[in-house]
Amino acid sequence: MKVILVEDVKDIGTMGDIVDVKDGYARNFLFPKKLAREAINSNLKIIEDIKKKKLLAAAREKKEAEAIKAKLALLSCTITVEAGDDDKLFGSVTSQDISHAFEAEDLAIDKKQIILEEPIKKLGVYHVSVKLHPEVTVEVKVWVVKK
């Protein structure tokens, strides 16, 4: 059966592709989950409209991410923690701690957007990557200081 994908489906194709799948897969999985529609002319027009809306939304999200990137490039955050004599922390600074520090600066950054290779375990200045959008990444300066 020929179907038009409404969403990206792993191992099948991307949105807007016309693919040939087994009848049962289309009826029992793709159609009930609204991942595909039958490949007829009226559905082709609907899919084109959906594509245009998603492209506009993606462009808007990227523009918003660029605006946040400009703000983040000018900021740095300071995290005060308990530390021992050797500048080793009691615990570690994680992406969640950095996220809370930026919330204090009125910037809502999800902890999943903050990329840390490993948790921070010493005092100092660190450059941390923040992935705001698949195409927009910014380096942020994080100061870890003693209480």
Side-chain angles (χ1 to χ4, degrees):
M1 171 183 278
K2 291 213 181 268
V3 296
I4 306 166
L5 297 178
V6 178
E7 299 285 333
D8 294 348
V9 180
K10 187 177 178 183
D11 298 330
I12 301 295
T14 59
M15 182 188 67
D17 289 349
I18 298 175
V19 294
D20 196 20
V21 296
K22 301 228 179 199
D23 292 352
Y25 184 66
R27 280 193 312 270
N28 298 325
F29 182 74
L30 295 175
F31 294 157
K33 292 189 182 256
K34 298 187 182 352
L35 297 174
R37 293 185 179 213
E38 197 172 348
I40 57 176
N41 287 337
S42 61
N43 286 340
L44 283 171
K45 293 175 187 172
I46 293 170
I47 298 300
E48 289 300 320
D49 290 341
I50 292 171
K51 265 188 179 179
K52 287 178 186 175
K53 289 178 184 176
K54 285 196 175 193
L55 286 174
L56 288 173
R60 184 175 56 247
E61 287 174 5
K62 184 176 179 184
K63 189 175 183 180
E64 290 171 0
E66 292 286 347
I68 294 172
K69 177 182 177 180
K71 289 179 186 177
L72 280 176
L74 301 174
L75 288 178
S76 66
C77 72
T78 304
I79 300 173
T80 57
V81 293
E82 294 285 332
D85 296 332
D86 301 341
D87 290 342
K88 286 189 176 181
L89 304 182
F90 298 137
S92 62
V93 176
T94 62
S95 58
Q96 186 171 7
D97 298 327
I98 296 170
S99 174
H100 290 306
F102 278 114
E103 284 178 8
E105 301 283 337
D106 293 329
L107 282 171
I109 297 175
D110 190 28
K111 68 179 183 178
K112 295 175 186 170
Q113 293 176 314
I114 298 169
I115 301 167
L116 282 176
E117 279 75 36
E118 56 187 47
I120 299 170
K121 296 187 179 195
K122 285 193 168 209
L123 298 177
V125 179
Y126 296 90
H127 294 279
V128 177
S129 295
V130 178
K131 190 171 187 175
L132 300 169
H133 186 269
E135 300 173 10
V136 180
T137 305
V138 63
E139 286 276 322
V140 180
K141 194 180 285 188
V142 177
W143 297 75
V144 180
V145 295
K146 196 176 204 177
K147 267 189 180 176

